[in-house]
Amino acid sequence: MKEKLKSYGIIALGSVLFGLAFDWFFDPNQVAMGGITGLAQVINALLPGIPVGVLTIVLNVPLFFAGWRYIGFHLLASSLFSMAVSSVAIDLIAAVYPFAPMDPMLATLCGGALMGLSLGIVFSQGATTGGTDIVARLLKLRWPWLPLGKLILVPDGVVLALAALAFGRVEAALYGAVGLFVATRVMDTVLYGLDTSKVAYIISDRWEALAQVLLKEQDRGVTILRGQGAYTGRDKQVLMVAFKQRDIVQIKRTVHQLDPKAFLIVCDAHDVLGEGFGDYQKEEI
């Protein structure tokens, strides 16, 4: 229960940031927004009497029913919660403090970054803000290797085209496209780029001593790969070590102290699963 409350608290934070991004940067500057919120923005431009938040809830209902079969109860419940919080936040923030317009490009970049951050926070807890986010999750079931940010571009592109027609300004859709691009990059960074694991490949004549130090003194797992020098034809032992970003200085120092002539390659590693790292999650995005 404590973990669920924590998760829903994080979802609420991301949802409020989503509403803030819309009210602060997108709406007052007539920058088109993707998703169901963007579609609600288009309808609001044509029928100003209906609040964007209310429209967002109404438009989301059929999508939630359509996605229930595939996304499961947890995603449905948490997404309903996120949609409700973000929709209420949009209307409440607009009523309490109407933001003044600013430079459209500045609004686009800052709004896209804040929206991407908010979506990344919500998605990291296994929820969505509803709308085309659910469409993207359904698309990911078909193409699981594609990042979620890129999948969101598909339905959101359609909404941006409608926004251009509704606002009568192509610039609104073009600014929206820039904001959407920024949002997807920030969101993918939040979801995937914070995995700051590294993998080191160490080729050294003192590989046994290095392996013992890494195993016993630094508590790092070491795998020995069999290799052969292409020029010399000599057999080589290559040490493969996975570690966190914070350990990189210690790893480099250890290798240099034991064998200054060692050949060391350090690579970025994502989705490292196993003891000391992450675990496989069935609902992973």
Side-chain angles (χ1 to χ4, degrees):
M1 182 59 68
K2 185 178 179 180
E3 287 298 317
K4 280 193 174 294
L5 288 175
K6 179 183 176 182
S7 178
Y8 273 80
I10 295 173
I11 292 172
L13 173 63
S15 302
V16 170
L17 289 177
F18 182 90
L20 181 62
F22 178 83
D23 286 328
W24 190 357
F25 298 110
F26 287 89
D27 194 45
N29 299 283
Q30 285 198 320
V31 175
M33 193 173 188
I36 290 297
T37 306
L39 187 58
Q41 184 185 20
V42 169
I43 297 174
N44 177 258
L46 301 174
L47 303 170
I50 309 177
V52 173
V54 173
L55 281 169
T56 301
I57 294 176
V58 172
L59 293 172
N60 265 303
V61 171
L63 277 175
F64 274 106
F65 279 110
W68 191 338
R69 176 181 175 184
Y70 300 99
I71 62 180
F73 176 76
H74 168 69
L75 181 59
L76 179 70
S78 57
S79 297
L80 279 170
F81 174 75
S82 177
M83 180 200 66
V85 173
S86 61
S87 299
V88 170
I90 286 173
D91 289 345
L92 190 60
I93 293 172
V96 172
Y97 188 85
F99 289 94
M102 63 175 71
D103 177 75
M105 183 53 72
L106 182 62
T108 299
L109 296 176
C110 294
L114 184 58
M115 185 173 70
L117 173 64
S118 67
L119 291 175
I121 291 173
V122 172
F123 286 175
S124 70
Q125 300 303 306
T128 77
T129 56
T132 52
D133 302 345
I134 292 180
V135 176
R137 288 297 295 261
L138 294 175
L139 289 174
K140 191 165 178 65
L141 294 176
R142 176 64 179 82
W143 296 289
W145 60 88
L146 290 176
L148 206 59
K150 289 183 174 59
L151 289 172
I152 286 178
L153 289 173
V154 178
D156 282 357
V158 177
V159 175
L160 289 179
L162 293 175
L165 295 175
F167 291 133
R169 296 171 54 243
V170 177
E171 294 89 343
L174 294 177
Y175 280 131
V178 174
L180 183 59
F181 174 77
V182 173
T184 55
R185 293 302 295 267
V186 172
M187 184 181 68
D188 282 343
T189 299
V190 172
L191 290 174
Y192 310 115
L194 294 182
D195 181 3
T196 54
S197 298
K198 300 284 185 180
V199 170
Y201 297 94
I202 308 166
I203 304 173
S204 169
D205 291 334
R206 301 199 60 196
W207 62 271
E208 291 176 302
L210 278 168
Q212 291 303 310
V213 171
L214 292 171
L215 283 169
K216 295 181 178 179
E217 296 183 16
Q218 298 185 14
D219 196 27
R220 299 256 58 87
V222 180
T223 299
I224 300 175
L225 308 177
R226 309 295 180 186
Q228 185 181 59
Y231 180 73
T232 64
R234 293 170 52 193
D235 291 336
K236 294 283 186 179
Q237 313 304 321
V238 182
L239 305 182
M240 185 179 73
V241 186
F243 57 94
K244 297 292 187 180
Q245 171 70 36
R246 60 178 177 270
D247 299 322
I248 188 169
V249 174
Q250 187 181 30
I251 296 287
K252 287 182 175 180
R253 183 181 296 122
T254 298
V255 173
H256 180 74
Q257 287 175 347
L258 289 176
D259 185 3
K261 296 181 180 180
F263 195 73
L264 172 66
I265 304 172
V266 178
C267 309
D268 290 328
H270 300 285
D271 295 329
V272 181
L273 307 179
E275 186 176 350
F277 294 91
D279 297 317
Y280 171 73
Q281 301 293 332
K282 185 178 179 181
E283 300 297 328
E284 189 174 21
I285 51 181

